[in-house]
């Protein structure tokens, strides 16, 4: 019999979710929108320290609206971190614009601020500055925002923070997502908190959030009949899901601490092994350690990332390679990329370990034992099936 499955990042309910759902049922406020949505927006804005928030059906919808309201149009370019999930870049294409992918730096695995600035300088000299940039806070760690923001101000480029993975993380003491024109968060099932599905955008600009709210509600004009002057979207969050989100938000701090404790456990148990390096925590911020990620140097460790992943899978433990960079994705093959070697290296050597906030010490011990066994001795047998397939 197989041991029980350890998932990468499963949902972790607080126990209070059903209270908010029941309130919605008791008042028959199933839809549209409703008190849970209003309260979730207010409570979320307070939590991250942003004046205005808008709850949406997904983080992807949030990035789409943020780009639209930043003025991105067909034919425009948008600079995007290459090491990310495809949802950071896809909305650029929804608008008919073109992503230009920027490489990472090793300090945080996030967008290299120097490369970003150089690219803007070059684009300015070519007379075709991008309208916006999407900077990702990968695996729950902030990018180095100050130099990125400075470059954005100098060249008048709107900054959108993809904070889908970094809720609860800070940059110089302030929450990620509150620095750019817009910050976008996700409550997808695998994120640090979940509403089962949903997203939030925040901005310091009340008019922008009001406009986003209208566009997300089918761009209905404020008159009794249905009047439309712009193209709208059906992007709002349901009152039921907002109820789940409210209960989850209350335990966010605990979830961050639990995930940081996972990281510490893994670090203490594995960092002595030659060839294993953990994703660093840059000095400018405090990460939420949404996922614990490490890199494996095959020459020193005696097995590669894929051999370790398969060894974990063998005993029913889910792990995942680090995001495959966007500039290596077939769908984005024709897009410009600036650098890319660092992101590629992190993808080839990087592995995300089970990181849920409900993991037990036994679970963590199981993961650690498998990885330690892969070191040198058993690596050969682990790699064999792959070679046999060739
Ligand atoms: C999850 C995620 C998104 C998308 O959020 P959804 O709510 O799933 O649409 C965007 N960017 C990054 C980096 C993500 O991890």
């Amino acid at each position: 019999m197989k041991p029980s499955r350890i998932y990468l990042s499963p949902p972790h309910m607080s126990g209070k979710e059903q209270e908010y759902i029941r309130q919605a049922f008791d008042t028959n406020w199933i839809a549209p929108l409703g008190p849970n949505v209003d309260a979730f927006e207010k409570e979320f804005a307070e939590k991250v320290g942003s004046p205005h928030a808008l709850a949406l059906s997904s983080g992807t919808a949030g990035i789409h609206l943020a780009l639209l309201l930043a003025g991105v149009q067909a034919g425009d370019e948008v600079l995007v971190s290459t090491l990310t999930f495809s949802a950071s870049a896809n909305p650029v294409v929804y608008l008919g614009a073109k992503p230009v992918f920027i490489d990472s730096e090793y300090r945080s695995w996030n967008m290299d601020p120097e490369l970003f600035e150089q690219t803007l300088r070059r684009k300015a000299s070519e007379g075709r500055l991008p309208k916006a940039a999407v900077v990702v806070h990968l695996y729950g760690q902030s990018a180095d925002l100050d130099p990125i923001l400075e470059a954005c101000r100098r060249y008048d480029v709107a900054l959108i923070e993809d904070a889908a993975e970094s809720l609860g993380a800070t940059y110089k003491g302030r929450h990620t997502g509150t620095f750019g024109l817009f910050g976008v968060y996700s409550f997808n099932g695998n994120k640090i908190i979940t509403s089962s599905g949903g997203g939030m955008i925040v901005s310091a600009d009340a008019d922008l959030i009001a406009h986003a709210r209208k566009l997300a509600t089918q761009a209905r004009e404020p008159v009794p009949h249905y009047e439309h002057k712009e193209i709208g979207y059906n992007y709002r969050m349901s009152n039921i899901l907002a109820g789940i989100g409210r209960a989850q938000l209350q335990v966010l701090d605990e979830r961050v601490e639990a995930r940081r404790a996972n990281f510490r456990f893994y670090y203490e148990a594995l960092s002595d092994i030659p060839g294993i390096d953990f994703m660093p925590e840059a000095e400018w911020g405090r990460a939420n350690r949404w996922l614990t990620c490490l890199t494996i140097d095959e020459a020193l460790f005696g097995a590669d990332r894929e051999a370790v992943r398969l060894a974990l899978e063998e005993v029913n433990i889910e792990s995942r390679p680090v995001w495959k960079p966007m500039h290596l994705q077939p769908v984005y093959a024709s897009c410009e990329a600036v650098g890319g070697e660092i992101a590629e290296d992190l993808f080839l050597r990087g592995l995300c370990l089970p990181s849920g906030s409900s993991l037990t010490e036994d679970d963590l011990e199981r993961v650690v034992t498998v990885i330690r066994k892969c070191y040198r001795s058993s690596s050969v047998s682990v790699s064999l099936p792959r070679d046999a397939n060739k």
Side-chain angles (χ1 to χ4, degrees):
M1 205 185 81
K2 273 204 169 178
S4 63
R5 181 101 173 133
I6 299 179
Y7 291 98
L8 189 74
S9 181
H12 182 186
M13 292 297 106
S14 72
K16 277 185 151 185
E17 288 79 8
Q18 304 222 10
E19 263 178 53
Y20 290 105
I21 296 175
R22 188 163 35 77
Q23 278 174 27
F25 273 78
D26 287 350
T27 54
N28 198 35
W29 219 315
I30 311 303
L33 300 169
N36 275 335
V37 177
D38 297 341
F40 189 30
E41 288 174 348
K42 189 166 164 286
E43 289 155 6
F44 189 93
E46 271 165 23
K47 180 76 201 170
V48 300
S50 179
H52 310 286
L54 170 67
L56 296 167
S57 53
S58 72
T60 310
I63 296 171
H64 187 190
L65 290 179
L67 288 164
L68 189 67
L69 289 166
V72 173
Q73 293 175 338
D76 286 340
E77 288 187 335
V78 176
L79 306 195
V80 184
S81 310
T82 193
L83 190 61
T84 187
F85 177 50
S86 63
S88 307
N90 289 342
V92 174
V93 179
Y94 301 167
L95 292 165
K98 286 195 104 181
V100 173
F101 296 112
I102 310 289
D103 203 1
S104 299
E105 39 96 356
Y106 281 117
R107 287 175 304 167
S108 70
W109 297 16
N110 285 307
M111 188 188 275
D112 182 337
E114 236 170 86
L115 221 49
F116 179 76
E117 200 274 339
Q118 280 169 22
T119 307
L120 288 184
R121 201 185 324 146
R122 174 167 57 82
K123 296 274 174 195
S125 73
E126 291 166 359
R128 45 186 218 131
L129 271 169
K131 279 269 175 57
V134 179
V135 65
V136 180
H137 303 308
L138 204 69
Y139 297 124
Q141 159 151 267
S142 178
D144 190 5
L145 283 169
D146 275 346
I148 291 172
L149 279 164
E150 198 189 302
C152 283
R153 274 192 289 268
R154 190 173 324 135
Y155 294 102
D156 195 23
V157 171
L159 186 68
I160 295 161
E161 293 179 73
D162 180 347
E165 300 175 0
S166 69
L167 177 58
T170 54
Y171 178 75
K172 299 186 178 172
R174 219 168 101 191
H175 277 267
T176 55
T178 62
F179 293 83
L181 183 65
F182 288 103
V184 183
Y185 306 84
S186 167
F187 311 114
N188 188 31
N190 64 358
K191 298 301 195 308
I192 194 156
I193 61 168
T194 181
S195 60
S196 89
M200 189 81 74
I201 59 175
V202 302
S203 178
D205 188 322
D207 293 339
L208 282 177
I209 290 291
H211 196 175
R213 192 178 298 278
K214 179 189 165 198
L215 293 177
T217 322
Q218 305 283 24
R220 220 186 132 177
E221 296 295 329
V223 292
H225 64 274
Y226 281 85
E227 178 84 8
H228 303 280
K229 295 178 184 164
E230 335 174 64
I231 296 295
Y233 301 87
N234 184 5
Y235 276 173
R236 294 309 306 274
M237 181 181 277
S238 94
N239 196 50
I240 303 289
L241 300 194
I244 304 176
R246 288 182 74 187
Q248 287 272 288
L249 189 63
Q250 291 170 9
V251 293
L252 172 63
D253 294 347
E254 290 163 49
R255 298 297 184 255
V256 172
E257 292 320 310
R259 291 199 185 234
R260 287 182 64 89
N262 290 339
F263 172 84
R264 273 196 304 278
F265 188 99
Y266 285 131
Y267 185 85
E268 276 158 25
L270 297 170
S271 61
D272 64 309
I273 305 177
I276 287 197
D277 285 298
F278 285 83
M279 177 180 179
E281 184 169 39
E283 76 285 356
W284 55 70
R286 189 171 195 268
N288 69 15
R289 293 288 185 190
W290 170 56
L291 298 185
T292 290
C293 307
L294 49 75
T295 54
I296 298 168
D297 181 334
E298 190 183 357
L300 291 170
F301 185 76
D304 64 6
R305 173 264 276 164
E306 195 53 13
V308 175
R309 192 188 69 76
L310 289 171
L312 289 165
E313 190 55 52
E314 188 72 19
V315 290
N316 217 12
I317 297 171
E318 183 183 26
S319 64
R320 197 76 58 80
V322 160
W323 297 123
K324 181 174 181 178
M326 290 305 109
H327 73 277
L328 298 178
Q329 298 289 351
V331 73
Y332 287 120
S334 68
C335 291
E336 182 183 345
V338 184
E341 296 78 14
I342 293 176
E344 195 168 343
D345 173 55
L346 292 171
F347 163 60
L348 290 174
R349 297 192 299 119
L351 189 68
C352 308
L353 301 182
S355 301
S357 44
S358 51
L359 284 175
T360 64
E361 223 166 276
D362 283 350
D363 294 334
L364 293 163
E365 202 59 67
R366 263 177 68 193
V367 177
V368 162
T369 304
V370 175
I371 297 176
R372 289 203 79 97
K373 262 207 278 190
C374 289
Y375 175 56
R376 298 270 158 101
S377 57
S378 45
S379 62
V380 178
S381 68
V382 168
S383 314
L384 263 179
R386 263 195 338 135
D387 297 342
N389 282 338
K390 276 180 189 158

